[in-house]
Amino acid sequence: MHPPADPPIPSSHPQFGSDRSILNRSEAGVISTTTAPSVQLYFDHKGYTFAGDILDQYLASHGPDYEYIIRSVNVAQIVKTQAAKTAAERQLNWIKGEAARNGERGGAIQEITAAWQPISVTDDSDVTLALGTFSVAVGSDTVVQKSGDKLKADIRYRVYIYDLYDFDKTVDWWSSDPELAIKKGLNHDMRQLEEAGWARSFKARGNTESLGDYTWSGEL
């Protein structure tokens, strides 16, 4: 089994060091010594270890090829959210449909993978503040066999998680979820850090392999 290919990088993605003007770097310097530490203190106070750790990596300004591998404890945290559960169930149903359309193939394993689905979490503030809107996908190893005149499938699958950890230029304090409003409200300041060369965005990814693969068996 495998995840889908990464989504394309959007044209709105910030460019590291794209604005090194004296004014912008001066403003970014203030943000890095006031706003960013305040956010980190807030995360520490609330016990948001996932949000705090991933923000630390952003502020560390790693190289252009750096990727953040989501820890198993945080993967478990993500897949427990209602948004992730709903998306995974929907994608598993899609895989069942694909398996039925493909039909029996002599017991051969079929690698069937759903497309990335963007989700936003509202029942775990740590995840909300860590990733904002991110994507999940279900990848499977599927075996379809005939049982009489019916098809039976044995599906082993994982949930994959992908996020392009960056910030856009919008400032939105009016989300119905107060924690998401904080993240969106700080977007502009955090993006300014990257454009000034004080922080750097990256891809974050993880999957449920370390938690044990999920399974489903039944008639299609």
Side-chain angles (χ1 to χ4, degrees):
M1 68 188 77
H2 58 83
D6 290 352
I9 303 297
S11 59
S12 60
H13 179 64
Q15 298 299 311
F16 176 78
S18 60
D19 185 354
R20 294 181 181 270
S21 65
I22 294 174
L23 176 61
N24 195 57
R25 285 185 63 82
S26 176
E27 291 177 351
V30 173
I31 293 168
S32 70
T33 57
T34 57
T35 306
S38 296
V39 173
Q40 290 169 309
L41 284 173
Y42 175 77
F43 290 165
D44 288 344
H45 174 70
K46 300 288 284 187
Y48 297 156
T49 55
F50 184 20
D53 183 60
I54 199 168
L55 177 61
D56 284 346
Q57 304 315 309
Y58 177 72
L59 297 173
S61 191
H62 296 288
D65 298 324
Y66 172 77
E67 290 194 351
Y68 181 92
I69 304 304
I70 301 172
R71 295 178 299 170
S72 297
V73 63
N74 299 129
V75 170
Q77 192 176 353
I78 291 167
V79 297
K80 286 178 182 176
T81 65
Q82 189 57 53
K85 288 179 181 177
T86 299
E89 182 178 2
R90 184 181 298 119
Q91 293 190 342
L92 177 60
N93 287 335
W94 179 84
I95 288 171
K96 293 175 189 177
E98 287 296 294
R101 280 186 285 275
N102 292 345
E104 195 272 337
R105 296 191 175 181
I109 294 175
Q110 303 178 45
E111 292 190 69
I112 305 176
T113 303
W116 291 113
Q117 179 180 335
I119 64 171
S120 294
V121 167
T122 59
D123 54 354
D124 188 316
S125 295
D126 193 11
V127 173
T128 298
L129 291 169
L131 301 179
T133 299
F134 61 101
S135 297
V136 297
V138 172
S140 75
D141 286 343
T142 299
V143 176
V144 178
Q145 295 179 316
K146 278 195 171 182
S147 178
D149 59 349
K150 297 181 179 179
L151 290 175
K152 180 181 178 182
D154 293 306
I155 302 174
R156 185 168 59 89
Y157 64 98
R158 294 173 190 159
V159 178
Y160 295 92
I161 301 157
Y162 171 89
D163 183 49
L164 180 59
Y165 188 90
D166 66 357
F167 297 88
D168 59 39
K169 289 185 176 180
T170 61
V171 179
D172 178 9
W173 293 98
W174 304 108
S175 171
S176 59
D177 184 309
E179 299 283 8
L180 189 58
I182 292 172
K183 185 173 179 66
K184 289 184 174 181
L186 293 169
N187 269 341
H188 186 275
D189 283 355
M190 294 298 105
R191 181 187 177 102
Q192 191 170 355
L193 289 178
E194 178 157 19
E195 291 177 339
W198 291 73
R200 196 164 202 153
S201 54
F202 48 79
K203 294 178 179 180
R205 65 178 80 247
N207 65 72
T208 56
E209 180 179 9
S210 63
L211 306 179
D213 291 335
Y214 300 101
T215 60
W216 181 90
S217 297
E219 290 183 354
L220 298 173

